[in-house]
Amino acid sequence: MNFDAYARTAIDLVNAGLDDLAGLRALFSGEQAYMRDQVAEKDLVPFRRAQRRLREVFEFGTSGRDAEAVHELNGLLEAYPVQPRISGHDASDWHMHVTSRGSSVSAEYLAGAVWGLSVWLCEFGSARFGICADERCGNVYLDTSSNNCRRFCSERCATRSHVAAHRARKRAAENLTPA
């Protein structure tokens, strides 16, 4: 099983816009694209609830409150239990799924997301959980840098923040210069 991929589904969920069914459907891509057509309006509630709880995990982790992050993840593991099964379409395509056959889209997606993030926490610690330092963003990420120094969710946010800081310093210096 690719636990990093499952952990990334948790990131995608926390950062998703779940204002409506179209926003929820946009969450499903790549290997999970088959879920896009299965998701329904009733799935919005469990996805939003899990989204809030997973954001709390990141908030706990980034503030050094590991025990609270673990407590929340344990609650999510109970709410969305992993029930592994082998699946495939032919003898060369065997792979693992985290839920039983016939599970709802929310059960399958959320079990994988919570399981992946939990394994990630156990392997790397919650200090590797991040919330983007660009105050206009707020997206979460997993810090995979070699020295645990990442501050932004993307290069785009890092550049935007650095440019804004540079411009602010430049304005401040211009205001100090006598006329």
Side-chain angles (χ1 to χ4, degrees):
M1 292 182 81
N2 184 346
F3 295 115
D4 283 351
Y6 279 116
R8 281 191 299 279
T9 63
I11 304 302
D12 293 342
L13 173 57
V14 175
N15 294 337
L18 299 181
D19 297 328
D20 55 20
L21 187 57
L24 179 56
R25 285 191 171 135
L27 182 62
F28 302 102
S29 62
E31 292 180 12
Q32 296 169 327
Y34 71 94
M35 293 182 186
R36 188 178 302 124
D37 295 331
Q38 297 174 15
V39 73
E41 195 78 33
K42 67 179 169 64
D43 292 308
L44 276 167
V45 171
F47 273 94
R48 286 176 180 154
R49 186 176 301 125
Q51 182 184 50
R52 282 190 302 273
R53 292 181 71 184
L54 286 167
R55 177 165 286 283
E56 286 179 347
V57 170
F58 277 86
E59 290 169 0
F60 293 145
T62 58
S63 62
R65 295 158 46 202
D66 287 3
E68 291 168 273
V70 167
H71 177 75
E72 188 63 35
L73 279 171
N74 279 333
L76 285 161
L77 285 167
E78 287 178 29
Y80 307 103
V82 175
Q83 300 170 334
R85 69 178 168 91
I86 299 171
S87 182
H89 307 290
D90 59 47
S92 64
D93 185 33
W94 298 120
H95 57 279
M96 295 297 293
H97 279 265
V98 294
T99 56
S100 60
R101 184 179 303 282
S103 294
S104 68
V105 171
S106 59
E108 185 167 350
Y109 187 98
L110 298 173
V114 171
W115 178 254
L117 195 58
S118 298
V119 169
W120 223 89
L121 180 136
C122 291
E123 190 167 336
F124 301 108
S126 68
R128 293 288 184 155
F129 291 4
I131 299 175
C132 188
D134 184 344
E135 53 200 39
R136 293 166 289 186
C137 178
N139 280 347
V140 300
Y141 61 89
L142 295 172
D143 186 350
T144 57
S145 67
S146 60
N147 57 359
N148 194 21
C149 65
R150 187 169 165 190
R151 295 180 42 235
F152 299 95
C153 70
S154 66
E155 286 296 321
R156 180 175 180 249
C157 281
T159 300
R160 184 173 56 206
S161 184
H162 292 124
V163 167
H166 171 73
R167 288 179 179 158
R169 285 190 303 274
K170 188 175 177 181
R171 277 192 304 274
E174 288 171 356
N175 289 337
L176 293 175
T177 305

